[in-house]
Amino acid sequence: MRFFNRVNLHTPESVELEFSLAGIGNRALALLIDYHIVALSLLGFSVIWIFLSTQLMSYLLQWEGDFSAVPPWLLAVFVLGTFVIYAGYFIGFEVYRQGQTPGKRFAKIRVIRDDGRPIGITQAALRSLLRPIDDFFFIGALFILFSKREKRIGDWVAGTIVVQETGRRAKPSMAPSDRTQQLVATLPTLANLRNLRPDDIAVIREYLDRRKDLTRKARHNLSLTLARQVRSRIQLETLPDGLTSDEFLEAVYLAVVQA
């Protein structure tokens, strides 16, 4: 049994990230909480469906006609509704809450892609649709126990891993220069910051948070690469004279979070 298994991931921008894998205990706790919420949601949906179906059939029986096809359609609606609740719960939370369902949030774990980026709807949908297979005879638990990256079948297919929350600071440690602060104020009018995706902001933040641990050469090369990519994405033609790539990345990050 492995405890505090760690993994190093490399983003497309060549940023190396280190995470602790969630472990089967935390994942089981999160799933237990999530399944209780899903069960309560399905119970509520079932009560509402039974009430509405009963009322509808009582109303139709007052009229002459053949309504024998109605119950199968009502059953189909019920099956579709339960599927949407079950699958939509995991897909919705993992996409719009950055890889965290309520259960995962309580257990302080999160789903991310294999390259460290936040998951999208494709990855969340694949994980959710394959969850019944993973739950069948605890197949997913066996995969988690005996795979190096603690992946269940849904993780292998979707290209995701489940990691522990790092509990990092609300903002990277920065002491913005006067030039950086000036660019923060003018950047929204000079560039199209809306072109930045959440993935881009996450990578900038990760670099700013970890740059002090890099060697001078690695920090210089990485900041130049990131600055070039970010500048191209936000369609910024020129930079103020004398502004370093670090100052530019700080200004972009602050301009986005302060918007």
Side-chain angles (χ1 to χ4, degrees):
M1 185 75 69
R2 297 181 304 274
F3 297 94
F4 305 110
N5 193 11
R6 301 187 69 83
V7 60
N8 293 321
L9 307 179
H10 295 270
T11 72
E13 293 81 7
S14 299
V15 178
E16 183 176 347
L17 311 177
E18 186 180 47
F19 296 95
S20 294
L21 296 178
I24 192 169
N26 287 331
R27 295 180 69 165
L29 174 62
L31 191 60
L32 180 64
I33 295 172
D34 288 329
Y35 273 173
H36 274 80
I37 298 175
V38 171
L40 290 174
S41 301
L42 290 175
L43 178 61
F45 171 73
S46 300
V47 171
I48 295 173
W49 179 85
I50 291 173
F51 173 77
L52 294 178
S53 299
T54 302
Q55 294 297 313
L56 177 61
M57 292 304 301
S58 298
Y59 175 77
L60 292 177
L61 290 176
Q62 297 176 6
W63 301 86
E64 295 182 359
D66 181 13
F67 300 107
S68 60
V70 175
W73 278 105
L74 291 176
L75 180 60
V77 171
F78 176 75
V79 173
L80 179 62
T82 55
F83 171 77
V84 170
I85 292 173
Y86 175 82
Y89 172 87
F90 292 98
I91 296 173
F93 276 109
E94 289 183 354
V95 171
Y96 294 106
R97 294 294 182 180
Q98 299 182 340
Q100 282 190 316
T101 59
K104 290 184 177 67
R105 184 176 179 85
F106 180 85
K108 293 181 172 57
I109 61 178
R110 181 185 303 275
V111 185
I112 59 175
R113 300 188 200 183
D114 283 339
D115 58 8
R117 294 183 296 166
I119 70 170
I121 191 169
T122 301
Q123 293 78 28
L126 287 172
R127 297 184 82 255
S128 182
L129 293 176
L130 290 170
R131 187 176 297 278
I133 299 177
D134 281 311
D135 291 345
F136 185 72
F137 285 115
F138 304 102
I139 293 176
L142 293 176
F143 271 81
I144 293 172
L145 283 172
F146 295 106
S147 64
K148 184 177 180 180
R149 290 196 169 189
E150 300 179 359
K151 288 170 170 267
R152 62 177 176 88
I153 296 175
D155 290 316
W156 285 109
V157 175
T160 57
I161 59 173
V162 184
V163 298
Q164 297 180 15
E165 285 278 62
T166 59
R168 72 182 54 162
R169 298 179 298 273
K171 291 183 180 180
S173 177
M174 289 185 291
S177 65
D178 291 339
R179 291 176 301 187
T180 298
Q181 294 175 347
Q182 291 174 3
L183 183 58
V184 170
T186 59
L187 198 56
T189 61
L190 297 176
N192 190 357
L193 296 178
R194 290 176 297 180
N195 284 348
L196 290 173
R197 302 168 301 182
D199 295 3
D200 301 321
I201 304 303
V203 170
I204 296 174
R205 173 181 176 146
E206 194 68 37
Y207 166 73
L208 294 176
D209 201 29
R210 295 175 180 266
R211 58 184 169 176
K212 61 182 180 299
D213 299 324
L214 301 175
T215 64
R216 180 178 298 181
K217 181 177 180 180
R219 175 174 173 173
H220 175 72
N221 293 337
L222 184 54
S223 65
L224 285 178
T225 301
L226 285 177
R228 189 180 306 113
Q229 294 173 349
V230 171
R231 179 180 167 186
S232 174
R233 185 172 294 279
I234 65 177
Q235 300 172 336
L236 182 63
E237 295 183 359
T238 59
L239 288 177
D241 293 337
L243 194 74
T244 67
S245 54
D246 265 30
E247 290 174 328
F248 170 66
L249 292 172
E250 289 178 353
V252 171
Y253 178 78
L254 292 174
V256 171
V257 300
Q258 294 175 9

